[in-house]
Amino acid sequence: MNIINARLRGKEGLFRVELDGERIAAIAPLSSPSNPAVGDLDAGGNLVTAPFIEPHIHLDATLTAGEPNWNMTGTLFEGIERWAERKATVTHEDTKTRAKKTIDMLVDHGIQHVRTHVDVTDPSLAALKAMVEVRDETRHLINLQIVAFPQEGIESFAGGRALMEEAIAIGADVVGGIPHFENTREQGVSSVKFLMDLAERKDLLVDVHCDETDDPQSRFLEVLAEEARIRGMGARVTASHTTAMGSYDNAYCSKLFRLLKQSEINFISCPTESIHLQGRFDSYPKRRGLTRVAEIDRAGMNICFAQDSIVDPWYPLGNGNIMRILEAGLHICHMLGYEDLQRGLDLITDNSARTLNLGEGYGIEVGRPANLLILSAPNDYEMIRTQGHALASIRNGKLLMQRTPSRVERC
Ligand code: FE2
């Protein structure tokens, strides 16, 4: 299969991208728009990119909003109560069915790489076992990284450390944590040391729910970054959320950024989820409840956007479309300046790939996997402005999805 009349990010002109089986075989410039041969896909002058990425989602909780009760206040705390009710009825098949339905929604929007956090503060580890099966059964659609996520803590949950070890033994790919939720500062610090030891010992990636609160005293990011720095693991470590950074004062942040840069860790922001759940203790002025996305980016550090939830007790909306998250995030983070719009897709493609450590398994380059998208616009700016879509998603050289753009007829 070949794709003709493709625009590539960062390059002038049109290209023909040749696929040979499961690899990209050649990328050749075209002197003028060419006509498709039988079997060719015509990008029509639009962008061809590597697949979109969902780097932070909770597939074990998706599609449960309103079951049995809706979150009436929309707060994080009522969400936890509603989830406790739903969690009591979760079964193996229920988890798998909802996760697969959600994966289909992601695939329909051009996503082929997903990192999901799975709650392991459950002595049966039922959701984790279900998700390990889902990972195998959906390999033709996505690459799935599973994070062992201790929703109720490692140190403050009975048997928390043993459950983390067991989750890794069963097959989780990434070590998670939630230090700001532990009962004390000391427990938060020791949970980070424990999870970093575990990841180092098992040679695994790390992704910690870190300081997901408006509390400016929640300062576990410095602990995570320092542990990553001294162990030389930064590129393999991610701090998710870090929303407290939006409430840190500038003097502390200027010192913190020095450490963050040295540590080389990655960041994930979930802009729609955070603006919905944070700022709930404020009257006015009301904080946005996000981390310092633009500042992290401007400082040369790696940050990307994620959905976090789709129709669950914490967030009732969502449809799998990561472009929606990108658009909202750019607004919320004051990133609609010209330069940001020229490279906006970085936040849901290349930056996310770096976070997930996809390496040479990602990107439009000869020899890399034939995983790519045809988008509905010729550049990042137009893709964002027009609320564009992935029109085709190709995986291992085969079409996974094609979308017909909507048509308007003037009368
Ligand atoms: Fe999360």
Side-chain angles (χ1 to χ4, degrees):
M1 183 192 292
N2 301 316
I3 299 155
I4 59 162
N5 303 324
R7 271 184 219 286
L8 301 177
R9 298 181 73 222
K11 293 191 170 119
E12 287 294 317
L14 294 175
F15 293 83
R16 170 191 174 89
V17 181
E18 295 176 20
L19 310 182
D20 182 11
E22 299 190 353
R23 296 277 148 188
I24 297 172
I27 301 172
L30 296 172
S31 50
S32 61
S34 58
N35 292 321
V38 178
D40 283 355
L41 284 175
D42 189 354
N46 286 325
L47 272 181
V48 166
T49 66
F52 293 157
I53 296 172
E54 173 47 68
H56 185 125
I57 196 166
H58 296 253
L59 290 175
D60 54 336
T62 54
L63 307 181
T64 57
E67 298 177 1
N69 296 306
W70 285 94
N71 183 337
M72 302 305 279
T73 59
T75 60
L76 172 68
F77 304 96
E78 190 180 341
I80 292 168
E81 282 175 44
R82 298 288 83 82
W83 175 243
E85 294 167 357
R86 183 59 173 83
K87 200 171 164 180
T89 65
V90 164
T91 66
H92 185 81
E93 280 313 306
D94 163 48
T95 301
K96 285 183 69 177
T97 305
R98 288 184 290 99
K100 285 184 175 179
K101 236 178 170 176
T102 309
I103 288 168
D104 284 343
M105 293 160 80
L106 300 176
V107 169
D108 287 352
H109 288 95
I111 290 167
Q112 290 188 25
H113 300 274
V114 179
R115 177 180 281 180
T116 188
H117 293 253
V118 182
D119 185 1
V120 297
T121 48
D122 160 20
S124 76
L125 292 175
L128 178 76
K129 288 170 188 165
M131 210 56 65
V132 167
E133 290 181 19
V134 168
R135 184 178 59 196
D136 289 339
E137 291 164 18
T138 58
R139 274 188 206 285
H140 58 297
L141 300 174
I142 59 165
N143 298 91
L144 182 61
Q145 292 183 357
I146 298 174
V147 186
F149 170 52
Q151 172 92 63
E152 295 181 51
I154 293 174
E155 307 291 48
S156 42
F157 186 78
R161 287 190 175 209
L163 285 167
M164 288 293 290
E165 301 257 13
E166 205 184 327
I168 300 307
I170 288 172
D173 309 285
V174 184
V175 181
I178 189 163
H180 60 280
F181 188 83
E182 304 282 357
N183 289 337
T184 66
R185 164 84 193 169
E186 289 68 27
Q187 285 180 336
V189 171
S190 67
S191 76
V192 171
K193 291 193 170 155
F194 166 80
L195 71 90
M196 289 295 287
D197 280 343
L198 180 58
E200 192 172 26
R201 200 163 13 100
K202 302 286 183 184
D203 194 23
L204 294 172
L205 302 173
V206 171
D207 192 332
V208 174
H209 279 66
C210 196
D211 303 318
E212 188 184 6
T213 165
D214 289 321
D215 176 6
Q217 299 307 317
S218 186
R219 295 182 173 187
F220 296 101
L221 178 55
E222 63 181 22
V223 180
L224 180 67
E226 179 64 357
E227 286 294 318
R229 186 189 68 81
I230 55 183
R231 295 167 197 253
M233 287 171 63
R236 296 170 62 75
V237 172
T238 298
S240 279
H241 300 297
T242 62
T243 58
M245 198 199 289
S247 297
Y248 293 162
D249 65 61
N250 288 340
Y252 173 64
C253 242
S254 82
K255 177 193 173 223
L256 176 65
F257 266 47
R258 189 173 145 264
L259 165 60
L260 296 179
K261 277 195 259 184
Q262 286 175 355
S263 75
E264 299 180 352
I265 66 170
N266 305 286
F267 296 85
I268 298 176
S269 171
C270 304
T272 49
E273 183 102 0
S274 291
I275 198 140
H276 168 57
L277 291 178
Q278 303 301 321
R280 292 289 184 147
F281 293 100
D282 294 352
S283 54
Y284 286 92
K286 199 184 283 285
R287 284 169 287 182
R288 295 178 186 218
L290 266 73
T291 193
R292 301 190 181 201
V293 176
E295 291 77 4
I296 291 169
D297 178 67
R298 307 285 187 264
M301 295 185 277
N302 187 44
I303 186 159
C304 56
F305 281 147
Q307 309 193 48
D308 207 2
S309 289
I310 294 181
V311 191
D312 71 15
W314 295 277
Y315 185 79
L317 305 180
N319 54 20
N321 184 2
I322 191 88
M323 283 300 299
R324 178 180 156 269
I325 308 303
L326 175 61
E327 189 193 3
L330 292 174
H331 280 87
I332 298 165
C333 301
H334 287 168
M335 293 177 77
L336 294 178
Y338 179 80
E339 292 289 344
D340 289 323
L341 291 171
Q342 303 310 307
R343 50 173 284 266
L345 293 179
D346 282 349
L347 288 156
I348 59 168
T349 57
D350 292 349
N351 292 10
S352 326
R354 194 169 142 196
T355 300
L356 266 57
N357 278 243
L358 298 183
E360 297 194 351
Y362 187 86
I364 305 292
E365 281 186 42
V366 173
R368 296 207 176 176
N371 300 339
L372 39 91
L373 305 177
I374 300 175
L375 304 184
S376 63
N379 54 52
D380 289 30
Y381 180 14
E382 283 301 302
M383 189 65 188
I384 296 161
R385 186 189 72 76
T386 59
Q387 300 184 314
H389 286 284
L391 296 183
S393 179
I394 294 156
R395 183 166 173 82
N396 295 326
K398 294 193 183 111
L399 263 173
L400 270 190
M401 171 283 284
Q402 268 191 298
R403 169 180 274 102
T404 309
S406 63
R407 255 184 51 183
V408 176
E409 286 181 32
R410 290 210 184 97
C411 309

